[in-house]
Amino acid sequence: MQTNNRPEELLPGTLDMLILKTLSRGQMHGYDVAESIQRSSEEVLLVEEGALYQSLHRLELRGLLSSEWGLSENKRRAKFYRLTVEGRKHLSAEAKRWSRVSLAISRVMKTA
Amino acid sequence: MKSFIRKLRWLTQRPDKEAELGEELQFHVEEEAEQRREDGLTVDEARWAARSELGNLSQVKENTRAAWGWTRVEDLICDAGYGLRQIRRNPAFSAIAIATLALGIGGITAMFSAVDAVLIRPLPYADAGRLVMIWDDMGKKDITSRHQPAPAEWMEWRRLNTVFTDLACSQPGDVTLSGDGDPEQVPARKVTWNFWSVLGVQPMLGRAFTEDEDNKSVRVVVISHGLWQRRFGGSPGIVGRKISLNDEPYEVIGVMPPGFYFMPSRDIDIWTPASFPAWLRKNFTWHDAQIIARLKPGVTLDQARQSMAALSLQVTAKDFRGPHSVNVMPLREEMAGRTRSALMLLLSASAALLLIACVNLANLLLSRGAVRYREVAVRAALGAGRGRLIAQFLTESLMLAGLGTIAGLALAVPAMRFLETLVPEAMSTHLMLDWRVLAFSAGAAIAATLIFGLAPALRGSQLAPQDGLREGGRGTAAARSYLFQHSLIIVETALAVLLLTCGGLLLRTFQHLRNADLGIRSERLLTFETPLFRYKDFDRRVAFINAEVEKVRAIPGVINAGFINLIPFSNLAHATFYRLEGQPADSFAGQAALVRNVSRDYFATAGARLREGRFFNTSDRKSDSPVAIVNEPFANRHFRERSPLGQRFKFGNLGDKGYWYTIVGVVRPIRENSVLEEARPAVYRVHEQCDQIGDVNAGIIVRTAVEPASIVSSVRQAIWSLDRNQPLARISTMEEIVDRQLSTPSQSTALLGAFAILALLLASIGLYGMLAYAVTQRTSEIGVRMALGATSGEILFAFGKRGLALTLTGLAIGLVLSAVAARSMTALLYGFKPGYFPTATVVSLILLAVAAVACFVPARRASRVDPVVALRGE
């Protein structure tokens, strides 16, 4: 598999959206979220841990995520995050906005 | 909103959240390590790789914590604690800083409490901003500036106006209260029934009187809370009780709440119904009333003024003085009177003092900033941004300001007692630290923090870390820092000069007032009043007055005694119109002079001086050709070239029934009205030769050989031996009366003088401090110069020159500012025009002398530097 050159930087807003999308598939702990994003983006996007936890906590404070402590696969205590109803609504709004913006950008880039 | 609540909850659960965060990150590291092990590394290598992957753990923790949202507040609290520790670590410096701030903030707080009491605090009436008083506007403000309207005018205005919801009328009505104790003269007013509704107040007990009671002259009365407590012991059965006013029974129907007061002064204790007799309602010559009115909602003051001016010209067509307009004054302005300008001046002066204190402190902090280079450098190297450093410095300054404010409030409280004498007579004297004053104080503290803290904070946070961390890091400050500090010194000096000059002008004015020739000799002169209502006709009154004077004169220790219907400086006008013999009929309209009825010995007792002619003597008895004495302004008005002696004129009754008075003497002017105003034209006649002696009190003056206060009880006995039920009122010495009148200019001058001296002190300390510090900083430079051959004299001169240049610049700017200020201060100078240049010269000399000392000491120290020591040590 071709891995692309250097990993790209992510704006915090975009990271928020990616986290929400990842958690829409079910509850996960922080490490898995990061892994998931990296895998899904085929190693183009590498999530910096400092930014990750900052986003997670911020989203929780805004009420878009809820958290609870549970046991991981290897029986260790971990904090699991889950999307709230608010979060789901926010995610679909953000997703719509994102596709509109990226479509517009590609259109501009296509012009000669 | 919900997120805020969540944030708050996380704050309270802080320790748990911290632990959780630690655990969460630890889990992450271990998962990462697990991953590496699966990739083939050893346990330790895996761990290490995972940790480095995660990066600086503390940084991550800090970033995440930042998302929790409370960092700013935490930083503030942290800085505050640090600031307090800094203050404790430098006791000498902190003490000076706090003392300086205490003076500045305490001063302005105390002044604001006075301004608040007089100009801002709501008056004890409903919606007091809509209340106005109405005076006759006679155009020529010759005799008195407040021309009292007539009750008849009140009736017409009430009937015809369109701009007021209602108008009420009040007349003087001082009464003698007798019956339950010694007879007492009580300040009182006669008011119309709607007085209470216009003001929007209610009695605390009982009720106010009704329109019916007013019209039917029912004998009811409303008393003040103070009188109820003082005279009737606060007894609960007060409502319905009968009391004796001027020997007539009145029923008390209401008691006002404590703290209620109204014009003309705060010690009015009794209000009776005005009950205007029928003849008064139509009479446009009887002018002794005050009219208070409430503006209709939506009507502005200007609209009311225009409307009333037009209406008044119409209504007063019947006035024998001719039609005239009216003056509509807002109540607050009326009550504050002249005090307003004095208070504003003093408030500005205290603000200037605070500014000087702040500038001083800024200078001090700037100088000290150099010492803290290293500390700041370390912080910056550890990652503090400039904003963070500035915030830290400002918080330290805020702590200083906070402590200074607390100390300042402690200083302000006794100062406020002293300031209570500035409150005008018509208002309540209570100065207190209410929420407005405290809020102002806090605002002043914050403003002060910004003024003295911003520059040092900006300067102190402004270095590249490597400069400070280097060894021997006491780097030379850039030349531009000196410019800023120099300009601060110049500002301080200019402000100090401004205060000193204004203080000097005020002092000259006050001395002028104090030494003004009052026309009588006021030392050892006792004065009091006795009411005359108990004597029902002219002859009886004259008899009583003569008997009084005789009895008092017989007291041992008394040199002489005399009667006058209005004690001098009593601020009451009592004028009348007159016409000279030979004046054509239409030329004397509006010609007025003050009139006084006196006993024969009055002028001798008072110590008045004669310009020509004679004083009254025993040959002046009741007759058809009465005599009069006029004062110099009167004589100068009409008889410039010839002598007035022998000329005749009529006053009071100008018609055919009026008597022609012959002028027999001219007296040097006595300031009948007020100590502060020039004497007006006045005429005097013997009381026996009056047309009538009114119901007002008789004023008695007594010249004593001993202390006037010591014979008061003998005087009381003497009067009581004539009439047991006669009270004595307004007992006072003439010197006390004069002092009371001079109290506002006296206090203002004293306060401004105090501010000015403090300002001078602070400014010179600032100059000294800056120069002393410069010497310390440049010790090595001085060493070099001396080694190269400079003499001590030259070093002395060099440093002294700097200080002198700053002082002179500040002086010049200050003098220009004060010339401008002097022009706007004329209201406070009571018409006296003290010369600006003599005052300015004196101030300049004082400043130069003080500045010379402040410069000399450090300069001398500079010249004494031992070059060897200076060059060797660092």
Side-chain angles (χ1 to χ4, degrees):
Chain A
M1 178 175 61
Q2 268 178 303
T3 37
N4 259 326
N5 353 33
R6 277 166 35 254
E8 307 295 341
E9 278 187 13
L10 270 177
L11 304 165
T14 329
L15 179 58
D16 282 0
M17 189 177 65
L18 293 178
I19 291 176
L20 288 175
K21 178 65 186 178
T22 311
L23 288 173
S24 71
R25 287 185 257 119
Q27 72 170 20
M28 276 182 226
H29 54 68
Y31 186 78
D32 274 350
V33 171
E35 281 292 291
S36 173
I37 292 177
Q38 274 161 214
R39 253 178 298 131
S40 309
S41 72
E42 296 178 11
E43 306 299 322
V44 173
L45 302 173
L46 287 186
V47 183
E48 203 212 319
E49 285 77 2
L52 171 73
Y53 284 100
Q54 208 169 349
S55 287
L56 282 172
H57 281 233
R58 199 174 38 232
L59 288 169
E60 190 181 349
L61 275 173
R62 279 172 63 189
L64 302 175
L65 297 178
S66 65
S67 70
E68 65 182 358
W69 285 84
L71 291 177
S72 70
E73 300 100 26
N74 13 27
K75 307 295 177 222
R76 267 205 289 263
R77 235 170 80 88
K79 191 173 184 191
F80 287 84
Y81 291 91
R82 177 177 344 145
L83 213 54
T84 62
V85 174
E86 278 283 316
R88 231 169 262 282
K89 279 195 251 172
H90 188 86
L91 172 60
S92 69
E94 280 294 294
K96 282 206 195 87
R97 198 178 61 82
W98 171 259
S99 51
R100 243 183 53 226
V101 169
S102 56
L103 199 59
I105 293 178
S106 353
R107 260 194 242 125
V108 173
M109 292 306 288
K110 279 221 199 82
T111 62
Chain B
M1 189 59 226
K2 281 216 194 96
S3 59
F4 183 71
I5 296 179
R6 226 167 273 124
K7 277 189 184 167
L8 211 50
R9 204 167 357 116
W10 280 33
L11 184 67
T12 54
Q13 295 167 337
R14 192 53 172 269
D16 296 331
K17 287 295 173 190
E18 287 279 335
E20 277 183 15
L21 178 60
E23 213 177 331
E24 196 174 357
L25 291 177
Q26 188 64 25
F27 174 78
H28 188 111
V29 169
E30 298 196 347
E31 283 293 297
E32 188 75 35
E34 188 83 20
Q35 188 74 23
R36 297 300 163 101
R37 259 209 309 264
E38 284 170 17
D39 287 345
L41 275 61
T42 67
V43 175
D44 288 327
E45 281 174 340
R47 264 262 157 82
W48 187 88
R51 283 297 284 275
S52 63
E53 179 77 30
L54 191 55
N56 180 356
L57 200 64
S58 337
Q59 191 73 24
V60 174
K61 271 198 191 157
E62 206 170 298
N63 283 347
T64 320
R65 228 183 270 129
W68 293 355
W70 291 107
T71 27
R72 289 239 177 84
V73 175
E74 286 172 2
D75 285 344
L76 194 64
I77 296 176
C78 194
D79 287 340
Y82 186 75
L84 286 174
R85 281 202 299 281
Q86 278 290 93
I87 290 176
R88 221 190 3 212
R89 215 178 291 152
N90 297 294
F93 170 80
S94 309
I96 295 178
I98 293 176
T100 315
L101 283 171
L103 272 178
I105 297 183
I108 203 174
T109 305
M111 276 323 303
F112 182 77
S113 74
V115 168
D116 178 60
V118 176
L119 299 174
I120 303 179
R121 194 189 293 168
L123 296 170
Y125 322 115
D127 207 1
R130 309 291 298 165
L131 291 173
V132 295
M133 301 213 49
I134 305 181
W135 306 97
D136 283 349
D137 181 0
M138 298 310 293
K140 356 178 187 184
K141 302 211 185 340
D142 195 23
I143 291 300
T144 163
S145 48
R146 285 274 173 271
H147 289 264
Q148 294 179 316
E153 287 176 278
W154 165 74
M155 297 205 66
E156 289 297 280
W157 288 333
R158 186 155 187 270
R159 196 164 60 86
L160 297 171
N161 88 92
T162 53
V163 289
F164 300 121
T165 58
D166 203 356
L167 298 83
C169 186
S170 103
Q171 280 183 308
D174 285 4
V175 290
T176 303
L177 181 57
S178 52
D180 322 78
D182 286 339
E184 180 187 346
Q185 186 77 349
V186 176
R189 299 289 289 182
K190 298 197 282 209
V191 297
T192 51
W193 76 95
N194 54 2
F195 178 73
W196 316 100
S197 58
V198 168
L199 290 182
V201 295
Q202 292 268 25
M204 179 179 84
L205 298 175
R207 60 175 181 87
F209 35 86
T210 62
E211 180 170 3
D212 213 39
E213 283 167 332
D214 192 349
N215 287 334
K216 299 210 178 99
S217 306
V218 178
R219 297 231 170 94
V220 289
V221 60
V222 174
I223 67 174
S224 74
H225 190 265
L227 183 66
W228 177 41
Q229 296 294 322
R230 198 178 70 232
R231 179 100 178 173
F232 303 106
S235 84
I238 184 73
V239 177
R241 182 161 166 170
K242 289 268 202 290
I243 62 175
S244 167
L245 299 180
N246 285 2
D247 284 349
E248 317 227 356
Y250 277 72
E251 181 187 341
V252 177
I253 58 166
V255 179
M256 292 308 289
F260 174 74
Y261 61 87
F262 193 65
M263 306 273 287
S265 91
R266 58 175 170 260
D267 41 357
I268 303 283
D269 276 331
I270 285 182
W271 293 272
T272 56
S275 306
F276 297 135
W279 66 267
L280 187 59
R281 291 169 195 256
K282 303 271 175 27
N283 186 323
F284 280 84
T285 65
W286 192 269
H287 292 264
D288 69 347
Q290 287 183 354
I291 299 188
I292 174 88
R294 180 176 286 278
L295 289 171
K296 271 199 179 127
V299 173
T300 67
L301 184 63
D302 281 324
Q303 287 172 335
R305 281 194 167 132
Q306 283 167 1
S307 165
M308 285 303 289
L311 179 61
S312 175
L313 286 170
Q314 180 195 337
V315 163
T316 58
K318 309 177 208 163
D319 192 330
F320 75 115
R321 299 175 294 183
H324 57 264
S325 176
V326 285
N327 238 332
V328 179
M329 295 287 294
L331 183 62
R332 166 89 64 184
E333 231 175 280
E334 190 67 48
M335 286 182 145
R338 209 174 228 145
T339 324
R340 175 191 223 111
S341 24
L343 284 174
M344 300 278 55
L345 173 71
L346 289 172
L347 191 65
S348 317
S350 63
L353 186 65
L354 181 60
L355 194 57
I356 294 180
C358 290
V359 165
N360 234 357
L361 204 51
N363 238 337
L364 261 176
L365 283 173
L366 279 172
S367 301
R368 237 177 48 116
V371 171
R372 294 178 71 183
Y373 267 19
R374 194 158 301 191
E375 170 204 338
V376 173
V378 171
R379 287 192 160 221
L382 281 178
R386 182 134 190 242
R388 188 85 183 73
L389 285 171
I390 293 179
Q392 180 205 324
F393 279 120
L394 278 179
T395 313
E396 276 178 45
S397 302
L398 194 62
M399 291 294 106
L400 267 180
L403 291 173
T405 307
I406 296 174
L409 287 177
L411 281 182
V413 171
M416 278 164 23
R417 294 288 85 74
F418 178 72
L419 285 175
E420 267 169 7
T421 47
L422 276 178
V423 179
E425 241 181 35
M427 303 187 73
S428 153
T429 49
H430 216 39
L431 290 190
M432 54 186 175
L433 288 176
D434 60 8
W435 64 267
R436 263 185 309 266
V437 177
L438 287 174
F440 180 82
S441 202
I446 293 177
T449 306
L450 287 175
I451 295 177
F452 77 77
L454 202 55
L458 288 174
R459 175 76 59 75
S461 58
Q462 182 190 51
L463 67 143
Q466 52 269 35
D467 287 340
L469 287 172
R470 248 193 299 230
E471 266 309 306
R474 213 171 31 163
T476 45
R480 83 166 32 178
S481 86
Y482 276 149
L483 183 64
F484 185 62
Q485 283 186 265
H486 287 177
S487 37
L488 287 183
I489 296 283
I490 292 177
V491 165
E492 275 190 281
T493 314
L495 282 174
V497 167
L498 177 62
L499 285 182
L500 280 171
T501 318
C502 292
L505 289 173
L506 218 56
L507 185 64
R508 299 267 311 279
T509 306
F510 177 64
Q511 280 177 329
H512 171 83
L513 284 174
R514 197 136 232 285
N515 298 334
D517 187 4
L518 298 172
I520 61 174
R521 285 184 298 120
S522 52
E523 68 282 357
R524 281 209 252 267
L525 197 61
L526 181 71
T527 70
F528 61 92
E529 293 178 13
T530 54
L532 293 175
F533 69 89
R534 298 170 61 74
Y535 307 98
K536 301 301 175 200
D537 62 36
F538 180 80
D539 290 325
R540 267 190 267 236
R541 285 177 182 168
V542 169
F544 179 69
I545 290 171
N546 288 340
E548 263 195 297
V549 171
E550 278 308 312
K551 273 275 179 195
V552 170
R553 200 180 290 136
I555 298 175
V558 170
I559 298 175
N560 211 341
F563 151 83
I564 181 170
N565 60 345
L566 286 172
I567 307 264
F569 320 135
S570 55
N571 262 324
L572 289 169
H574 201 66
T576 185
F577 296 97
Y578 64 89
R579 53 178 279 218
L580 300 170
E581 192 169 35
Q583 269 188 326
D586 47 2
S587 70
F588 56 81
Q591 196 174 258
L594 297 177
V595 60
R596 297 288 185 267
N597 308 326
V598 301
S599 66
R600 278 176 280 277
D601 285 329
Y602 173 76
F603 287 118
T605 312
R609 288 167 316 209
L610 197 60
R611 192 183 85 173
E612 52 184 298
R614 63 172 179 82
F615 283 142
F616 298 123
N617 57 37
T618 45
S619 63
D620 304 315
R621 297 204 165 274
K622 187 163 183 172
S623 90
D624 282 342
S625 49
V627 295
I629 293 180
V630 299
N631 72 357
E632 206 167 352
F634 184 98
N636 290 342
R637 192 196 253 177
H638 296 290
F639 303 106
R640 285 213 174 262
E641 292 82 48
R642 53 213 165 114
S643 162
L645 300 182
Q647 300 291 330
R648 301 202 308 170
F649 67 111
K650 278 189 186 177
F651 61 95
N653 188 338
L654 300 182
D656 295 325
K657 292 255 190 64
Y659 293 100
W660 287 105
Y661 287 80
T662 312
I663 301 179
V664 295
V666 179
V667 65
R668 294 249 179 244
I670 300 176
R671 292 190 173 190
E672 297 293 344
N673 248 359
S674 139
V675 172
L676 303 171
E677 292 172 12
E678 294 284 325
R680 312 257 191 240
V683 303
Y684 302 84
R685 61 185 164 187
V686 183
H687 58 306
E688 286 169 11
Q689 292 182 340
C690 293
D691 314 43
Q692 56 187 24
I693 291 187
D695 212 346
V696 296
N697 297 351
I700 308 287
I701 63 169
V702 187
R703 173 79 58 194
T704 60
V706 297
E707 272 305 308
S710 63
I711 62 158
V712 170
S713 47
S714 321
V715 167
R716 236 194 277 267
Q717 296 305 324
I719 303 294
W720 281 344
S721 71
L722 284 178
D723 180 348
R724 185 59 185 82
N725 288 325
Q726 187 65 275
L728 268 64
R730 302 220 172 91
I731 303 175
S732 167
T733 66
M734 191 58 85
E735 284 185 323
E736 280 169 8
I737 295 179
V738 171
D739 280 341
R740 208 178 313 141
Q741 297 234 331
L742 286 178
S743 76
T744 300
S746 159
Q747 301 286 24
S748 311
T749 308
L751 280 171
L752 190 55
F755 283 136
I757 291 176
L758 282 174
L760 181 62
L761 205 61
L762 283 178
S764 35
I765 290 177
L767 181 62
Y768 169 83
M770 200 201 76
L771 282 177
Y773 186 72
V775 168
T776 314
Q777 258 200 325
R778 297 167 62 174
T779 309
S780 50
E781 179 195 325
I782 298 172
V784 169
R785 287 166 85 169
M786 292 192 99
L788 287 178
T791 66
S792 331
E794 282 170 1
I795 302 286
L796 180 80
F797 185 64
F799 273 92
K801 199 170 56 155
R802 154 107 51 93
L804 202 62
L806 289 177
T807 308
L808 284 175
T809 318
L811 179 63
I813 298 178
L815 286 179
V816 168
L817 285 178
S818 48
V820 172
R823 199 145 307 174
S824 58
M825 251 175 68
T826 43
L828 283 158
L829 302 178
Y830 297 98
F832 177 57
K833 289 192 199 359
Y836 173 74
F837 288 105
T839 313
T841 314
V842 171
V843 167
S844 308
L845 289 175
I846 294 177
L847 180 75
L848 286 172
V850 172
V853 171
C855 294
F856 180 68
V857 176
R860 188 144 158 277
R861 196 146 55 85
S863 69
R864 287 265 188 89
V865 163
D866 184 346
V868 177
V869 174
L871 286 174
R872 204 191 303 144
E874 263 286 277

